Amino acid sequence: VRALLVCGAPLVGCVAGPEGGGFWFRRVGGGLGFGAGPGGAPFFLLGGGVMDAPRHFWGNFGASAPQMITGAARRWEARGFDPVPGDAERIPLPQD
């Protein structure tokens, strides 16, 4: 496990984890311990090999260079991506 994506409820036992939602990344070779509070805590475990270079994230975009994210955001605004079949919702870009 390389990271957790916590979806709305806080986890207990995450010393440096998110409070109520967001990513928590584990250092290579580090431990990972957590649990759900009384109301539960939906989350995703993310794994895989170590990336070859740093990654940049903004909104729903991730890339190895900030310029790639800028280009993808412009393409999104111009509706340059095919819609998801059966899904009419269009998620707007973040405002910040």
Side-chain angles (χ1 to χ4, degrees):
V1 175
R2 297 264 181 231
L4 294 173
L5 172 56
V6 182
C7 305
L11 295 177
V12 296
C14 282
V15 176
E19 294 294 326
F23 279 101
W24 183 78
F25 295 95
R26 177 178 72 91
R27 293 196 182 278
V28 174
L32 183 64
F34 62 91
F43 62 89
F44 293 93
L45 296 175
L46 306 168
V50 176
M51 293 186 180
D52 61 347
R55 296 295 187 259
H56 305 271
F57 296 94
W58 180 74
N60 226 21
F61 299 102
S64 58
Q67 298 82 0
M68 294 174 73
I69 294 174
T70 302
R74 286 185 183 136
R75 185 174 167 199
W76 178 258
E77 280 295 298
R79 298 186 182 266
F81 294 99
D82 291 336
V84 176
D87 188 357
E89 181 183 14
R90 187 169 191 315
I91 299 170
L93 292 174
Q95 294 302 309
D96 53 358

